[in-house]
Amino acid sequence: MAVAWSEKASSMEALSLSPPMSPPVILTQDELKKIAAYKAVEFVESGMVLGLGTGSTAKHAVERIGELLRQGRLTNIIGIPTSKKTQEQAISLGIPLSDLDSHPTIDLAIDGADEVDPHLNLVKGRGGSLLREKMVEGACKKFVCIVDESKLVKYLGGSGLAMPVEVVSFCWKFTANKLQNLFRDSGCVAKLRKDCKGEPFVTDNGNYIVDLYLKKDIGDLQVASDAILRIAGVVEHGMFLDMATTVIVAGNCYCSWEWILPFLASID
């Protein structure tokens, strides 16, 4: 099952509203991601400038766009990649690429998210590409976010997993302490992200990432965003507020309806 909705819509658009009459096939998480990604690509039209997202869900959308180009079902597409990894994937698929300097306005961006709250606010950046993602998706007319049901949360940080903040490497401990103290009342623990070798993870922009782990809601997200960005040493954070225009959620029918329907209803 896949469900798409927009907070701006007066009613929710459901792609499959009724539970199946026969026992459902239980899909893997990657299969669910692929369903959401392929549905998002239905928004793509020939002649568009596209923001190409990064991550395990977005890669399926990039793959599908490349396939449709090869088939001639899409033409005159220009992609703006959000990471070096996505750039390499797009090149391998024959997707023509450009950048924001040449195309400062993007028709459509498709990307995944690590968390989605009931107001379509997102956490992104656990893959390490949050700065470029925010630059590209902030320049688009429409941003379609694609997730599986595991990414739905009641509030940002509610998964207990990382809320990323990109920081300069200079005195990163100083910056991390500032971030941890900022959200002390939410039980925040700030940790430097490490790579598989135990070294600091370095972004495509040459920066570090400090991951914030929260035990409680941080409250007003815009206030929190402004406070983070006022800390010297912070480059950008992974909260994408009021940016997604549409979210597509894919889930296994029986388990997802218990969670997704109340989640959708809570938007009102």
Side-chain angles (χ1 to χ4, degrees):
M1 181 197 72
V3 177
W5 79 93
S6 167
E7 191 175 20
K8 297 178 181 178
S10 58
S11 61
M12 308 304 167
E13 176 193 356
L15 306 179
S16 174
L17 280 176
S18 301
M21 298 302 293
S22 58
V25 175
I26 303 302
L27 302 176
T28 67
Q29 188 177 39
D30 191 61
E31 288 170 333
L32 293 174
K33 291 177 178 181
K34 191 171 184 178
I35 289 170
Y38 275 44
K39 190 65 188 178
V41 174
E42 293 180 11
F43 287 89
V44 178
E45 299 176 3
S46 294
M48 279 187 167
V49 177
L50 300 176
L52 304 177
T54 296
S56 59
T57 307
K59 72 177 183 181
H60 291 302
V62 177
E63 183 179 82
R64 179 61 171 166
I65 291 166
E67 179 182 11
L68 294 176
L69 281 170
R70 287 194 305 274
Q71 295 173 351
R73 295 165 65 184
L74 284 177
T75 58
N76 300 318
I77 293 294
I78 296 176
I80 312 294
T82 55
S83 67
K84 292 180 180 179
K85 186 172 184 179
T86 298
Q87 180 178 1
E88 292 170 359
Q89 182 192 14
I91 290 172
S92 72
L93 294 170
I95 300 175
L97 299 180
S98 188
D99 56 34
L100 287 173
D101 290 336
S102 301
H103 295 86
T105 301
I106 297 172
D107 296 304
L108 170 69
I110 300 175
D111 204 355
D114 301 306
E115 293 183 358
V116 181
D117 80 1
H119 303 288
L120 309 192
N121 295 311
L122 317 173
V123 168
K124 292 176 50 57
R126 290 180 190 155
S129 302
L130 64 98
L131 176 59
R132 297 191 186 192
E133 288 173 335
K134 190 169 283 191
M135 291 177 69
V136 170
E137 287 146 20
C140 65
K141 298 175 183 176
K142 186 178 183 67
F143 172 24
V144 178
C145 179
I146 47 178
V147 296
D148 67 88
E149 62 192 349
S150 70
K151 304 302 191 296
L152 304 181
V153 295
K154 294 180 180 179
Y155 61 88
L156 294 193
S159 68
L161 301 176
M163 182 183 291
V165 180
E166 188 160 344
V167 304
V168 296
S169 60
F170 175 74
C171 294
W172 67 265
K173 291 182 181 179
F174 171 84
T175 308
N177 287 334
K178 288 279 191 179
L179 289 166
Q180 183 166 298
N181 289 334
L182 182 63
F183 300 113
R184 180 184 299 153
D185 291 344
S186 297
C188 178
V189 175
K191 296 181 180 181
L192 181 70
R193 186 177 299 185
K194 302 288 185 69
D195 63 19
C196 59
K197 298 180 181 179
E199 298 296 323
F201 175 88
V202 179
T203 71
D204 286 347
N205 315 299
N207 298 314
Y208 288 175
I209 288 183
V210 172
D211 288 320
L212 307 183
Y213 296 87
L214 303 163
K215 294 182 180 179
K216 299 178 183 178
D217 190 345
I218 60 175
D220 189 312
L221 296 178
Q222 193 58 60
V223 171
S225 169
D226 293 343
I228 293 172
L229 295 175
R230 282 197 298 268
I231 296 175
V234 167
V235 178
E236 188 53 85
H237 60 72
M239 292 188 292
F240 284 52
L241 308 180
D242 299 320
M243 293 180 65
T245 54
T246 300
V247 174
I248 296 175
V249 182
N252 285 301
C253 294
Y254 286 148
C255 63
S256 65
W257 278 105
E258 293 178 0
W259 170 226
I260 291 178
L261 284 179
F263 183 89
L264 294 179
S266 70
I267 293 176
D268 294 335

